[in-house]
Amino acid sequence: MSAVVDNSGEAVEAAKNNDLEVETTKSESKEFNVQNLVDMFTKLNPLAKEFFPSSFHHNQTKKSDNFNQVPVKRSAGNENFSNKRGRNNVNQGRRRLNGRAFRAQRDDSIRRTVYVSDIDQTITEEQLAGLFSNCGQVVDCRVCGDPHSVLRFAFVEFDDEQGARAALSLDGTMLGFYPVRVLPSKTAILPVNPTFLPRSENEREMCTRTVYCTNIDKKVSQTEMKIFFESTCGEVTRLRLLGDQVHSTRIAFVEFAMAESAIIALNCSGMVLGTQAIRVSPSKTPVRPRVTRPALR
């Protein structure tokens, strides 16, 4: 029995040796194959064009021909989308043109406008426009109150640039009790809504008794404003206080019983009402009475 066991042990060892030889031969063959592949790849030209068989080009040509023969149908949605995109492009172009036209018009208006300062409180817009009427046709004249001075300033717009250049020669001219200063303007006069302008002789007379106030504290009530102007200037017949949620201050139109009271009110420009220094200037629009609408039934 011992002899049989020994023989079987030798057989097992022989089998192991055979397996090792087979594995070594396999590994050697693998190394040989990998080495051959590496040698082959190193011989390739990286700048060579990619190879495509001739059948590939032939099939691609057929596919492209068949594709071109198929008519392309556009859906209604695509047409609407393309039309909308076209309209949007047109609208954007129009907006750009409108913006350019507006800037060109504004620049032209600035070149035709002069800035006048140190204006006596007693001088009206008609008197100021009369002073510059010899320089050219006056298109608009806007007198404003200066909160930092007892004097006022104004913008005078002419029909052409020649009139504005001629107006510069009036710098230092005595108007009232003070010599006015005339300089080229850096801003254009903002046009007034035509519906707000006086429509009759009666409304024009109302404008001479009305002042326009800005930079009014939102905490100031209409009653407080009326008391302020009546205690300083005279009887107030109508007062319209306006404001919104966007601006931090409000505006007001104050109509007096006498035109002299409106002139005195111009001296209130710069006085503090509430927590703000108000600005007072002549009004171009009358304070029209509110129209009472009939109640809905």
Side-chain angles (χ1 to χ4, degrees), residues 152-194:
R152 293 178 295 162
F153 63 92
F155 297 92
V156 181
E157 182 180 347
F158 293 88
D159 185 51
D160 52 20
E161 296 182 30
Q162 185 177 358
R165 287 194 295 268
L168 298 177
S169 62
L170 296 180
D171 183 39
T173 302
M174 289 294 297
L175 185 62
F177 297 99
Y178 299 93
V180 295
R181 295 186 59 193
V182 185
L183 299 171
S185 178
K186 296 181 180 180
T187 59
I189 298 177
L190 186 66
V192 180
N193 191 333

Side-chain angles (χ1 to χ4, degrees), residues 120-137:
D120 190 355
Q121 295 280 4
T122 60
I123 301 300
T124 63
E125 289 184 346
E126 289 77 13
Q127 292 174 331
L128 185 63
L131 173 67
F132 290 98
S133 60
N134 295 327
C135 303
Q137 183 179 355

Side-chain angles (χ1 to χ4, degrees), residues 205-218:
E205 190 273 333
M206 291 167 60
C207 288
T208 62
R209 297 184 284 108
T210 306
V211 294
Y212 171 65
C213 303
T214 61
N215 201 40
I216 302 172
D217 188 355
K218 279 194 170 183

Side-chain angles (χ1 to χ4, degrees), residues 26-37 39:
K26 286 183 179 180
S27 62
E28 288 177 356
S29 63
K30 284 182 180 179
E31 290 179 358
F32 175 75
N33 292 335
V34 172
Q35 187 63 36
N36 289 340
L37 289 174
D39 294 338

Side-chain angles (χ1 to χ4, degrees), residues 217-277:
D217 188 355
K218 279 194 170 183
K219 295 181 180 179
V220 175
S221 64
Q222 186 162 328
T223 304
E224 291 173 339
M225 279 207 68
K226 185 176 181 181
I227 294 173
F228 170 79
F229 280 106
E230 284 189 336
S231 62
T232 308
C233 309
E235 181 185 356
V236 175
T237 55
R238 196 176 286 119
L239 191 148
R240 189 71 48 80
L241 185 61
L242 306 172
D244 53 30
Q245 300 298 326
V246 178
H247 299 85
S248 59
T249 58
R250 293 195 288 179
I251 63 173
F253 294 88
V254 184
E255 179 187 306
F256 294 92
M258 303 293 293
E260 291 77 8
S261 300
I263 296 175
I264 297 173
L266 298 176
N267 295 323
C268 296
S269 185
M271 297 181 66
V272 177
L273 181 60
T275 60
Q276 302 287 338

Side-chain angles (χ1 to χ4, degrees), residues 135-151:
C135 303
Q137 183 179 355
V138 177
V139 177
D140 197 356
C141 179
R142 193 76 55 86
V143 177
C144 309
D146 188 351
H148 304 293
S149 174
V150 295
L151 303 177

